[in-house]
Amino acid sequence: MFKYNLPNGGLHARCYINSNGEIKFDPPVYEQRYTTTIRILEDPCWGHKFKKVVDFGCAEMRLLSLLRRTEGIEHILEVDIDENLLRSNKQRAEPLVSDYLNKRETPLRIDLLQGSIDTAAEQLLNVDAVIALEIIEHLYPKTLENTPKNIFGFMQPKLAIFSTPNSEFNVLFEPLLANGFRHDDHKFEWKRSEFKDWALNICQQYPNYKVAFMGVGDAPPDRKDIGNVTQMAIFARCDLLDPSLHNELLSSKVAVDCGPDADMRYKEIFTVDFPVYIDERSKDQKILDEARYQISRCRRIDRYFNCDLRVYEVPLIVLRDYIENIGATMRELLAVLKENDIEVKEEHIILPEYDEDDFSYRQYDDCYDEDLGVWNDAGYDETGNDDERGACGGYSHTKGDTNYDAEENWD
């Protein structure tokens, strides 16, 4: 076992009894399960991004809208035994108009696959994370028995997240259905001790894994003894927690006997690749483009203008975060600036008062005579007073009611 806590203090949720005596959760429990799952996947404690993720028992694919926006994920397998359910909800996997207007910077493929959680299929190779929310209680005994073989023996993901109802909480749901459970398709509902025994037994069979437990959906304040409405187990492969593994990982070509349909392919219902923006610029070109954009922005900020020298002095540190965001260093930035004849002196980029290609500045100090084809001196009215000039005698960045210094934070 290992200890795990959600980052940033966990979820903020509440449980209450409404005026009809019904127990309610805010937000709803299914939303809490989804949010918890995404926060686990995004937790930097793993030191790893999970690129390929499978969502077993995806049903109507409600979790998919969050998964497709989760940082690092590039391939999502939506797997369910019900082919009709997958087909009727196929539109949830399709890109939106916004996905075409604002293309991703990393690839994303979504596969809808009809298959069982206990079947070792070729598509499951190299999966990084497994999600199995509220599915094991729907499995027949033989399927439940074979499930760990498929996931921890064949797939060997870095992370696996399971959730299932906590039967101790059912005292607040009475009366239950005729089968004695919360759902008419449930084959069982476990107490916390039973779920814990099942998870720990998996870790004994597959010592490359450790497990942590947590709950979702708090009980009312006076019934904390019954635990949460949903119990969750987080299986982490040991190399996520420390550098070593207990046993060597099986080759991706080795299939484990996980049932009668082992080593098969799931039936493919639908596959889509999301539109992606491919930036073909060289690294130096990206640095130069970013530097020029930030330099142009800084020309609108008065405090960078040296009135005595009639130049802009932009601190290099202003560009640091932008440069690091594209994976470059300050040393690389200096090299690109030098190569493109952009002057740097004492940790400052030195810019002329006007950009040669920007006539928007010159119009306040000069006036172009179209008939003569020349620029004439301007900027003073007939009384000899400064017109449109700042304190330094040059162009003022504040004109009328517009304060251009505010543009510093536009990006």
Side-chain angles (χ1 to χ4, degrees), residues 291 294 314-323 330 333 349:
Q294 298 304 330
V314 180
L316 281 169
I317 195 172
V318 170
L319 276 69
R320 183 182 62 189
D321 289 344
Y322 302 103
I323 295 302
M330 294 300 288
L333 170 63
I349 299 174

Side-chain angles (χ1 to χ4, degrees), residues 94-113:
E94 296 174 348
L96 304 173
V97 173
S98 59
D99 292 311
Y100 290 95
L101 295 176
N102 185 22
K103 295 181 180 179
R104 296 170 55 92
E105 295 183 358
T106 56
L108 175 63
R109 167 171 288 192
I110 297 177
D111 291 325
L112 307 190
L113 304 170

Side-chain angles (χ1 to χ4, degrees), residues 11 17-18 36 153-154 167 172 176 212 243 271 292 335 348 360 392 406:
L11 299 177
I17 307 296
N18 67 10
T36 298
F154 173 68
S167 65
L172 299 181
L176 296 169
T271 295
R292 282 177 170 167
H348 287 80
S360 64
C392 300

Side-chain angles (χ1 to χ4, degrees), residues 234-252:
I234 305 164
F235 295 88
R237 209 170 69 190
C238 292
D239 52 348
L240 273 186
L241 305 174
D242 58 61
S244 61
L245 285 169
H246 190 277
N247 295 325
E248 183 179 356
L249 294 176
L250 295 175
S251 167
S252 60

Side-chain angles (χ1 to χ4, degrees), residues 71-84:
E71 184 180 357
I73 293 181
E74 298 182 359
H75 193 181
I76 302 172
L77 309 180
E78 293 287 294
V79 178
D80 201 276
I81 197 68
D82 190 333
E83 179 179 343
N84 292 330

Side-chain angles (χ1 to χ4, degrees), residues 348-391:
H348 287 80
I349 299 174
I350 308 301
L351 307 174
E353 183 174 3
Y354 302 118
D355 187 331
E356 293 179 358
D357 298 327
D358 187 357
F359 291 100
S360 64
Y361 293 98
R362 297 185 60 178
Q363 63 178 314
Y364 295 103
D365 289 329
D366 303 284
C367 180
Y368 186 72
D369 190 320
E370 294 185 1
D371 295 331
L372 298 177
V374 297
W375 288 92
N376 296 321
D377 183 51
Y380 293 87
D381 61 20
E382 295 180 356
T383 63
N385 295 324
D386 289 347
D387 179 28
E388 304 292 356
R389 293 177 179 266

